């Protein structure tokens, strides 16, 4: 039997088909609603709106489940590399040894930036936020590959995906080097994806630098945890921009901007600044818990709460363990970690946070790890972006390949003035 929902309004009634996903989640298909009734639906913040069908990522916020292409995030973190996970997200299956070798090779040969692009960095102030640089340079890539960035041409798509994955770590590391006045370090294609990034970030021409394999592993795992999260703000932005058939560079550049906001990926930078502030203010955790609950204050406990997770964020649980591991390996005793533990403990016992189902999210502990590795706070959201890149691209690719895709164009309910007569300047009030 075909399942349907029935909508009744005034004296009319309309049958609306139900769509069922592979994990039995259900949606009411309202695509014919306006043409049949003249009505649209309203859903501020899209909390109840499905914008697409997708076979990439499944998450169940009530049960704290996150899977990429059916594989549990815990298993992927434990057994796979970021390159394997990127392949999985993009092409739907885990790669064989040969496929992974080819994929890594295809990416590696595109790691360098055009020399003119390198010079572009000099046009920006030294204290420019690296997310601004990343977005600008990612979009600028389109000007260097005008003959191969047609989003409808499969050969162009293939090479653009490799270029994007290869060049984003280089773009990010150059932004950091620019901010501290050190020479930019060229990519080293004999290193792994993460080791090459660490090398471009932290090595200097004057002395040898060796990548710590434990740090490389931790970063790889953090990238896996960030790699996709279905239709979040930045991914929806990438899809929206891509739906107009803008090229992939432009769509990713827009996604980077969306991620930058403190309610989204920018929260990892905010968390660390908040922990620092609490520390400098005498470690009074209760004061800040109370402030977060106070409706007259704008303060929120950064790194807490999530639109979808209403139980726990499985990414945060893994990151918390990685955090302990990295800090103990580096022999770091960070007072901010103690504050984070105290905040978590206090919030999890507090009726306000319990009732509103606010738990630590992916951003709560990640910054402490990044800080321990040596990344400055301004780079935290950049790291989120590098991790999220394969997810953005996979979602963009899926959208471009789907026959159902139409340009994204929401409706509105107009609440402005009704038609009025034009008022000449001399008759207008001050
Ligand atoms: N601290 C204090 N109160 C909070 C918090 C918080 N971190 N988050 C939500 N609330 C309250 C909020 O005031 C509201 O209360 P009320 O119902 O009384 O008005 C209620 O909980 C629901 O919040 P909301 O803002 O309507 O929920 P949302 O789903 O629109 O927003 C969120 C989700 C993540 C933007 C929000 O929880 C938040 O601002 N958290 C802090 C920023 C943060 O950590 N963002 C990273 C998200 S995870 C990484 C990513 O995917 O980007």
């Amino acid at each position: 039997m075909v399942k349907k929902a029935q909508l009744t309004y005034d004296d009319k009634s309309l049958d609306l088909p139900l769509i069922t996903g592979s994990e039995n989640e259900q949606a009411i298909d309202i695509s014919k609603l306006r043409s049949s009734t003249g009505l649209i639906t309203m859903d501020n913040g899209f909390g109840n709106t499905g914008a697409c069908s997708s076979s990439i990522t499944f998450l169940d916020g009530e049960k704290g489940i996150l899977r990429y292409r059916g594989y549990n995030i815990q298993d992927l973190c434990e057994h796979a590399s970021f390159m394997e996970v990127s392949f999985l997200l993009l092409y739907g299956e885990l790669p064989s040894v040969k496929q992974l070798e080819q994929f890594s090779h295809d990416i590696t040969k595109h790691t360098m930036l055009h020399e003119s692009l390198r010079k572009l960095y000099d046009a920006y102030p030294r204290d420019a936020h690296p997310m601004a640089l990343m977005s600008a340079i990612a979009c600028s890539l389109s000007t260097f590959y005008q003959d191969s960035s047609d989003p409808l041409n499969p050969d162009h798509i293939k090479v653009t995906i490799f270029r994007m994955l290869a060049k984003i770590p280089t773009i990010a590391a150059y932004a950091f080097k620019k901010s501290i006045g050190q020479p930019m370090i060229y990519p080293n294609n004999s290193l792994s994806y993460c080791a090459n990034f660490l090398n471009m970030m932290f090595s200097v021409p004057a002395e040898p630098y060796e990548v710590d394999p434990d740090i490389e592993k931790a970063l790889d795992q953090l990238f896996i945890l960030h790699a996709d999260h279905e239709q979040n703000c930045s991914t929806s932005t990438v899809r929206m921009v891509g739906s107009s058939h803008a090229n992939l560079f432009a769509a990713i550049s827009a996604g980077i901007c969306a991620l930058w906001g403190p309610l989204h990926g920018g929260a990892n930078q905010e968390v660390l600044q908040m922990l620092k502030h609490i520390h400098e203010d005498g470690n009074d955790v209760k004061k800040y818990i109370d402030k977060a609950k106070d409706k007259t204050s704008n303060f929120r406990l950064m790194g807490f709460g999530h639109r979808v997770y209403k139980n726990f964020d499985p990414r945060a649980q893994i990151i918390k363990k990685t955090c302990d591991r990295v800090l103990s390996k580096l022999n770091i005793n960070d007072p901010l970690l103690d504050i984070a533990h105290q905040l978590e403990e206090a919030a999890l016992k507090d009726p306000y946070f319990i009732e509103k189902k606010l738990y630590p999210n992916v951003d709560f502990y990640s910054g402490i790890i990044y800080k321990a590795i040596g990344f400055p706070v301004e780079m935290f959201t950049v790291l989120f972006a590098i991790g999220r890149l394969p997810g953005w691209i996979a979602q963009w690719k899926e959208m471009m390949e789907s026959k159902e895709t139409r340009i994204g164009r929401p409706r509105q309910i107009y609440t402005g003035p009704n038609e009025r007569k034009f008022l000449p300047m001399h008759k207008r009030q001050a």
Side-chain angles (χ1 to χ4, degrees):
M1 195 180 73
V2 182
K3 284 192 179 172
K4 58 190 180 193
Q6 201 169 53
L7 175 80
T8 310
Y9 79 105
D10 289 344
D11 54 350
K12 297 181 211 123
S13 120
L14 178 74
D15 286 342
L16 297 165
L18 284 189
I19 299 171
T20 306
S22 51
E23 292 287 343
N24 286 327
E25 71 279 28
Q26 298 210 315
I28 301 172
D29 178 354
I30 57 149
S31 55
K32 300 276 181 295
L33 182 66
R34 189 170 176 280
S35 57
S36 315
T37 65
L39 294 172
I40 62 164
T41 54
M42 272 304 254
D43 184 17
N44 268 334
F46 307 124
N48 302 283
T49 298
C52 61
S53 307
S54 177
S55 58
I56 301 172
T57 289
F58 173 71
L59 68 95
D60 182 327
E62 271 72 36
K63 296 192 186 127
I65 293 173
L66 172 61
R67 293 182 206 135
Y68 301 157
R69 303 279 190 188
Y71 295 103
N72 268 325
I73 191 68
Q74 288 86 352
D75 284 343
L76 290 170
C77 270
E78 214 173 305
H79 304 296
S81 69
F82 179 58
M83 277 296 96
E84 274 175 271
V85 170
S86 300
F87 186 99
L88 171 71
L89 288 169
L90 286 164
Y91 308 113
E93 297 297 334
L94 285 167
S96 65
V97 173
K98 235 175 136 187
Q99 284 171 321
L100 184 61
E101 262 172 31
Q102 184 64 47
F103 182 62
S104 302
H105 170 80
D106 289 336
I107 291 173
T108 305
K109 68 179 186 196
H110 291 288
T111 49
M112 288 200 302
L113 293 190
H114 193 287
E115 285 296 299
S116 318
L117 202 48
R118 247 164 67 91
K119 291 187 195 123
L120 193 61
Y121 286 82
D122 292 336
Y124 292 94
R126 185 175 159 168
D127 61 353
H129 197 286
M131 285 298 275
L133 288 189
M134 213 180 176
S135 167
I137 311 266
C139 195
S140 304
L141 285 175
S142 63
T143 65
F144 289 83
Y145 302 108
Q146 297 183 55
D147 58 348
S148 54
S149 53
D150 176 355
L152 301 174
N153 178 322
D155 293 333
H156 291 196
I157 291 174
K158 198 171 164 196
V159 69
T160 304
I161 290 175
F162 296 145
R163 284 187 176 130
M164 203 79 245
L165 286 167
K167 291 180 198 301
I168 280 286
T170 317
I171 293 173
Y174 281 8
F176 170 63
K177 288 296 192 190
K178 149 103 192 160
S179 72
I180 55 169
Q182 283 185 4
M184 292 163 177
I185 304 292
Y186 283 112
N188 178 344
N189 289 351
S190 68
L191 298 174
S192 75
Y193 193 81
C194 282
N196 172 47
F197 176 58
L198 287 166
N199 187 59
M200 288 189 292
M201 281 290 302
F202 299 120
S203 73
V204 288
E207 51 191 62
Y209 172 80
E210 240 177 74
V211 176
D212 179 332
D214 290 331
I215 300 306
E216 179 189 346
K217 173 84 195 132
L219 190 62
D220 196 83
Q221 202 181 58
L222 283 159
F223 285 164
I224 294 174
L225 286 169
H226 287 89
D228 195 48
H229 215 236
E230 48 119 306
Q231 308 313 317
N232 55 82
C233 177
S234 55
T235 303
S236 302
T237 302
V238 171
R239 278 184 176 259
M240 177 67 96
V241 174
S243 78
S244 74
H245 293 184
N247 63 66
L248 178 59
F249 298 115
I252 296 297
S253 167
I256 293 169
C257 288
L259 186 75
W260 191 2
L263 297 188
H264 192 10
N268 59 12
Q269 174 173 345
E270 298 283 327
V271 169
L272 208 93
Q273 280 159 347
M274 172 187 80
L275 295 174
K276 233 171 123 195
H277 186 79
I278 298 175
H279 183 50
E280 285 161 7
D281 193 26
N283 299 322
D284 189 350
V285 164
K286 186 178 175 307
K287 176 175 160 187
Y288 286 87
I289 292 277
D290 290 344
K291 211 169 157 193
K293 298 190 296 188
D294 179 359
K295 287 289 164 205
T296 62
S297 148
N298 284 332
F299 177 77
R300 281 189 169 199
L301 205 53
M302 298 312 283
F304 258 78
H306 197 276
R307 171 63 62 80
V308 182
Y309 291 122
K310 299 298 172 199
N311 184 330
F312 63 92
D313 181 338
R315 302 169 300 174
Q317 293 190 319
I318 301 173
I319 288 182
K320 193 175 171 188
K321 285 189 198 139
T322 310
C323 185
D324 291 338
R325 221 176 40 242
V326 169
L327 265 66
S328 110
K329 153 88 206 206
L330 296 174
N331 217 357
I332 290 176
N333 197 352
D334 191 341
L336 301 191
L337 181 60
D338 294 338
I339 296 176
H341 282 150
Q342 285 173 44
L343 275 176
E344 180 182 359
E345 207 182 317
L348 294 182
K349 279 196 267 180
D350 191 292
Y352 173 95
F353 290 87
I354 295 170
E355 265 162 41
K356 296 191 188 302
K357 300 186 171 156
L358 302 170
Y359 293 85
N361 60 47
V362 69
D363 295 319
F364 194 62
Y365 285 103
S366 60
I368 297 174
I369 310 179
Y370 297 146
K371 177 171 173 264
I373 297 176
F375 291 104
V377 281
E378 293 76 21
M379 285 296 286
F380 290 4
T381 314
V382 167
L383 295 163
F384 194 148
I386 299 176
R388 182 56 54 87
L389 185 62
W392 284 334
I393 301 175
Q395 297 274 350
W396 174 88
K397 185 169 168 286
E398 181 179 65
M399 178 198 66
M400 294 305 291
E401 286 166 358
S402 167
K403 298 242 175 319
E404 287 168 13
T405 300
R406 302 166 75 198
I407 188 167
R409 206 304 185 184
R411 294 269 176 178
Q412 64 163 17
I413 292 293
Y414 174 69
T415 57
N418 295 115
E419 186 177 14
R420 43 189 177 160
K421 223 168 169 278
F422 180 77
L423 207 56
M425 184 83 79
H426 66 276
K427 289 198 176 163
R428 293 175 210 163
Q429 304 283 322

